[in-house]
Amino acid sequence: MSSASFSERPPDDLALDQIGPALSRLRRRAPASSKDLSRNLVLNVIADAPGETTVGGLAAEMGVAQPVASRTVAACIEEGLLRRAASQSDGRRTVLELTEHGEAERNRFAAEQRKAFQEITAAWSPEEQIQFARLLVRYGADAAAWSRKQATRHD
């Protein structure tokens, strides 16, 4: 890195440096309890997984220890959001599946997030809202692919 002071850096560099803190603020400002955030994260990881999801795979995707994922899964099962099932590819493995109630809860949370997004960006033009939404979704997909690639490098 160059020895240029922080204030001498180009504005685009400064904006790029703010990505991490901005994403952290987004997560903290979500209009939900920490319980809802955890449940929603679990439900989305399982729904978005390209294949079957185990508790270990869930833990890896969430970036938490397996006992943390196990406790969250147990709570979701108790609430009727998830169920355990035998793997279709290896009957010895147990995988996680969303229940109808889990899918409904996921949709409810998505509707709340959309409402919050619309309220937060009310001063934006419709074009800006759509552009940001598309780029954020793209970022999420690319981040997931990058994360899987990193995981295979470390295995």
Side-chain angles (χ1 to χ4, degrees):
M1 183 164 182
S2 88
S3 59
S5 74
F6 191 74
S7 61
E8 294 173 6
R9 295 176 59 205
D12 288 347
D13 278 358
L14 297 174
L16 291 171
D17 287 342
Q18 292 302 308
I19 290 170
L23 290 173
S24 293
R25 281 189 298 278
L26 279 176
R27 186 174 172 102
R28 290 191 315 265
R29 300 290 186 270
S33 68
S34 61
K35 178 181 170 184
D36 277 348
L37 288 174
S38 295
R39 283 190 319 197
N40 188 53
L41 178 58
V42 167
L43 298 177
N44 283 327
V45 167
I46 292 169
D48 295 342
E52 298 176 329
T53 304
T54 62
V55 173
L58 177 68
E61 186 65 27
M62 290 174 60
V64 299
Q66 189 158 341
V68 173
S70 292
R71 285 190 298 275
T72 307
V73 164
C76 287
I77 289 172
E78 187 175 312
E79 294 175 37
L81 303 171
L82 295 177
R83 69 177 154 260
R84 286 187 168 90
S87 167
Q88 296 300 304
S89 62
D90 181 352
R92 298 169 296 177
R93 289 179 47 214
T94 301
V95 296
L96 303 168
E97 297 176 345
L98 264 65
T99 62
E100 284 183 34
H101 178 55
E103 190 60 43
E105 188 68 4
R106 183 172 178 253
N107 291 335
R108 179 194 66 79
F109 197 77
E112 285 180 9
Q113 290 173 316
R114 179 181 177 148
K115 183 177 184 262
F117 175 80
Q118 289 172 322
E119 289 174 6
I120 292 165
T121 61
W124 298 13
S125 72
E127 294 79 17
E128 289 172 318
Q129 290 175 330
I130 295 299
Q131 181 182 23
F132 181 75
R134 286 182 177 146
L135 289 171
L136 191 56
V137 169
R138 179 178 171 190
Y139 179 85
D142 289 349
W146 176 84
S147 182
R148 284 191 295 275
K149 192 169 157 187
Q150 295 301 310
T152 58
R153 284 185 185 165
H154 294 106
D155 289 342

